[in-house]
Amino acid sequence: MDSSKGRGDVEALRKFAVFEKFSDADLERLVASAHHTSTSKPWPLIHEQTPSDAAFIILSGEAGVYVGKERIAVVGPGEVIGESALRHGRLRNATVTTTGPADVLHIERDDFQPLLDEIPALRALIDDTVARHIPKAH
């Protein structure tokens, strides 16, 4: 890892319990494939009913999850978002917008599957996250 930003992102991920099973090499590979984005104000990460093009990991800040105009959840640091639609090739089922200043890792669709194939801990994390984020049938 040659950039201080990348090293900082690895250290940020290491602080989250969901990444505790990742080796340093796993985290470095993940960060190397992701794009770090910072925002100082609310910023839409995902738009409802659009094709999935990326997944995100929130490093700092929070984001509201909206279905229509109703906020159904708030997600924070360490959360993976946008993975379900990306993994299953569906349209997005919610809009996700940061609530203020935030740092996120942005993983493009073309990088996502190779990461899942190369990092078993990431596959397990995403499978768990997808299971939690898929709406339950009533």
Side-chain angles (χ1 to χ4, degrees), residues 29 33-35 106-116:
R29 172 72 177 98
S33 294
H35 306 282
H106 174 207
I107 305 166
E108 296 286 340
R109 176 194 355 250
D110 292 344
D111 295 320
F112 190 70
Q113 188 60 49
L115 286 170
L116 293 177

Side-chain angles (χ1 to χ4, degrees), residues 12-13 16 18-19 37 45 55-65 74-81 96-99 101-106:
L13 292 174
F16 303 126
V18 296
F19 292 99
T37 303
L45 300 172
F56 300 87
I57 301 170
I58 299 176
L59 297 175
S60 68
E62 292 182 335
V65 180
V74 175
V75 293
E79 286 281 343
V80 179
I81 54 175
V96 181
T97 302
T98 63
T99 59
D103 287 285
V104 299
L105 289 179
H106 174 207

Side-chain angles (χ1 to χ4, degrees), residues 18-19 21-23 26 116 118-126:
V18 296
F19 292 99
K21 294 181 180 171
F22 286 61
S23 69
D26 290 345
L116 293 177
E118 295 169 27
I119 306 172
L122 180 62
R123 178 176 292 280
L125 170 62
I126 296 301

Side-chain angles (χ1 to χ4, degrees), residues 1-13 24 28 31:
M1 180 100 1
D2 52 28
S3 78
S4 60
K5 179 70 92 177
R7 173 55 52 200
D9 290 346
V10 167
E11 294 306 317
L13 292 174
D24 287 341
E28 288 171 5
V31 167

